[in-house]
Amino acid sequence: GGGGGAGGAGGGSGDGVEVLLVGRETEGPDDKVLRLRGDVDLGFLFNTVRAFYLWRYLAKHHIDDCQWFAKVDADTFVNKEALKERLQRYFNPAELHYLGSIKTTLLGSGRKLPFTVNAAVLSREVLRQAGPWLEVCIDDLARRKLGRGAEDIDLAYCLDFHG
């Protein structure tokens, strides 16, 4: 099972961008690979639970380390310098920002829900506020869908429902 990339802009390496690789079998220096205790790769359909555990971990353990937090799919390229520059120039991490390439899905109620695909960027304030909700969203995901889901849509739904 592969992993994705997660990280935060504003802490870590000399360029102010810290990149962590996430995955049980991902190879690399120990200070660059995040291995979450209890992480089990049950296949693509269960990536949502793994992603929510990652967001919860970042909220609990690294909220004050970075201004921005991003989760990027393993098959997606991100120019971290351009992303960093754009975030610094146009957005305030103390405000609520959920950013990425936006698509929409139609909820059962008929309302359209915007969500990000391939990469999600959360401001420190969004992650700070979402920290307590993530446990509720993980439990809800397990009860409603037996842990299966579409991580991009389920993250947007969690933020929208609780935020």
Side-chain angles (χ1 to χ4, degrees), residues 46-54 138 141-142 146-148 151:
F46 298 93
N47 278 351
T48 303
V49 173
R50 296 177 81 198
F52 276 36
Y53 278 130
L54 170 65
I138 291 168
L141 187 63
L146 300 175
R148 295 180 184 181
E151 93 182 56

Side-chain angles (χ1 to χ4, degrees), residues 8-156:
S13 61
D15 62 3
V17 177
E18 183 72 25
V19 176
L20 299 174
L21 300 173
V22 181
R24 292 179 317 125
E25 299 173 18
T26 303
E27 295 190 21
D30 285 342
D31 64 338
K32 296 293 181 198
V33 177
L34 179 61
R35 292 179 182 87
L36 300 176
R37 193 174 50 137
D39 182 25
V40 177
D41 186 353
L42 297 175
F44 178 77
L45 290 177
F46 298 93
N47 278 351
T48 303
V49 173
R50 296 177 81 198
F52 276 36
Y53 278 130
L54 170 65
W55 288 117
R56 184 185 68 178
Y57 175 86
L58 293 171
K60 282 185 177 183
H61 301 285
H62 294 284
I63 195 65
D64 293 321
D65 296 341
C66 300
Q67 296 176 3
W68 298 95
F69 297 85
K71 192 260 177 213
V72 180
D73 291 352
D75 62 352
T76 302
F77 173 79
V78 172
N79 181 331
K80 69 179 188 174
E81 292 305 317
L83 176 60
K84 176 186 170 188
E85 182 179 330
R86 182 163 290 217
L87 290 172
Q88 289 175 336
R89 182 175 292 176
Y90 298 107
F91 299 99
N92 180 347
E95 296 174 355
L96 300 173
H97 293 290
Y98 165 57
L99 307 168
S101 179
I102 304 294
K103 289 194 173 189
T104 60
T105 188
L106 195 59
L107 298 176
S109 66
R111 187 171 65 87
K112 289 184 178 180
L113 176 70
F115 66 97
T116 64
V117 294
N118 304 325
V121 179
L122 276 58
S123 65
R124 177 188 298 161
E125 191 56 29
V126 166
L127 194 58
R128 183 183 314 280
Q129 289 188 24
W133 311 331
L134 291 169
E135 194 67 42
V136 174
C137 292
I138 291 168
D139 289 345
D140 180 60
L141 187 63
R143 276 197 304 275
R144 284 186 312 112
K145 300 181 183 180
L146 300 175
R148 295 180 184 181
E151 93 182 56
D152 302 333
I153 295 171
D154 286 317
L155 176 62

